[in-house]
Amino acid sequence: MLNVQNVTKQFGKRNQKITAVKDVTLTLQENEIFALIGESGSGKSTLAEIIVGLDRPTHGEVRWQATQKVQQDQVKRVQMVFQNPDRSLNPYWKVKDLIAEPLVLNWHSRSEAYKRVDELLDKVRLPKDLRERRPSECSGGQKQRVAIARALALSPSLLIADEITSALDPKTEEEILQLLLALKREQRMSILYITHRLDTILGFADRVVVMKDGSVIEEGYTDIVLNQPKSEYTRALLSACSYS
Ligand SMILES: Nc1ncnc2c1ncn2[C@@H]1O[C@H](COP(=O)(O)OP(=O)(O)OP(=O)(O)O)[C@@H](O)[C@H]1O
Ligand SMILES: [Mg+2]
């Protein structure tokens, strides 16, 4: 579906360059959950922002395969949900306005957009009476569901979830993972799931890429990478989260 081809991203000036992403090549397939794993600073968010089009690579490119529509549709095809809903959701808006906004911005009429809100709340398993609430009146898990509903409004082919469960308790985290699994099936979309917690992705992600210092260290089917890790680094990540 999408090829990341030799992508490198550098920040900073001439003599103080940081290479956040180093020559990363990977392919995302249709209808799969792809996990991006690595410790803090390994370049996961930078790579995600390049894929979603919020940033441009220094070298290399992100290419959609021929079945997908042209470049200017990128905003609709890839949507991103961020770690902190308090920063990504405007606290003064009601849930219905937050979810309707991407539709209104993309030329849907207001009445049509508000009609879709209930349907989108339903998709993320939230009750309709949440429509009139503001983010501060929702729980952490509910806020991330609102952020997911907003991301789904334009029916993306790819949803990028960047550490979206890191502020949630284990039970709520598991519920969000189950929701993403169900959405993958129902919407036939792919999900790029970013986390530093290797132990949450077994039985969830189809494939995984392990990153370190901007480079891909290991890649493969999740059960194989987790059960027979090839690199010392992956083994260290696994023992750090006491997976066995
Ligand atoms: N806008 C920027 N300007 C300068 N350096 C940056 C910028 N964004 C990221 N970096 C640097 O690039 C490297 C990779 O950062 P990135 O945020 O992609 O890591 P990450 O894997 O998402 O980490 P975390 O798990 O903490 O979210 C880090 O060294 C970071 O300091
Ligand atoms: Mg990050």
Side-chain angles (χ1 to χ4, degrees), residues 14-178:
R14 204 166 280 249
N15 45 11
Q16 285 179 326
K17 273 190 189 151
I18 297 171
T19 308
V21 176
K22 286 180 203 156
D23 197 25
V24 168
T25 294
L26 44 94
T27 302
L28 302 188
Q29 311 287 355
E30 267 169 56
N31 203 29
E32 77 167 347
I33 298 185
F34 192 86
L36 194 55
I37 302 276
E39 63 194 347
S40 185
S42 55
K44 307 180 300 292
S45 297
T46 304
L47 184 61
E49 282 167 14
I50 289 171
I51 293 174
V52 83
L54 287 172
D55 209 341
R56 295 168 70 87
T58 312
H59 303 291
E61 60 177 350
V62 174
R63 208 182 312 153
W64 286 83
Q65 275 155 16
T67 51
Q68 300 291 323
K69 281 183 250 148
V70 283
Q71 200 69 23
Q72 67 249 36
D73 263 339
Q74 177 133 342
V75 203
K76 288 189 201 165
R77 286 180 300 168
V78 198
Q79 290 289 313
M80 191 155 165
V81 179
F82 298 90
Q83 176 170 2
N84 185 345
D86 294 322
R87 283 175 58 189
S88 59
L89 300 177
N90 186 331
Y92 301 108
W93 288 22
K94 290 183 175 176
V95 164
K96 64 177 181 193
D97 301 313
L98 289 164
I99 297 177
E101 188 197 26
L103 292 164
V104 174
L105 289 177
N106 280 277
W107 315 109
H108 293 259
S109 70
R110 261 175 199 282
S111 61
E112 193 190 329
Y114 285 115
K115 258 186 238 150
R116 293 252 356 249
V117 169
D118 283 349
E119 196 187 304
L120 287 159
L121 283 171
D122 213 36
K123 274 197 180 133
V124 297
R125 283 70 166 166
L126 282 176
K128 296 195 184 10
D129 57 14
L130 230 69
R131 281 175 69 102
E132 303 298 327
R133 289 201 214 166
R134 293 195 166 75
S136 61
E137 297 159 329
C138 301
S139 70
Q142 286 173 332
K143 279 188 267 196
Q144 283 304 44
R145 284 172 195 260
V146 170
I148 294 169
R150 194 176 139 86
L152 292 179
L154 298 175
S155 308
S157 319
L158 174 64
L159 180 76
I160 301 184
D162 190 355
E163 307 263 14
I164 65 170
T165 61
S166 56
L168 305 175
D169 62 73
K171 181 169 166 278
T172 314
E173 173 173 47
E174 180 55 30
E175 286 164 5
I176 294 279
L177 294 183
Q178 289 306 322

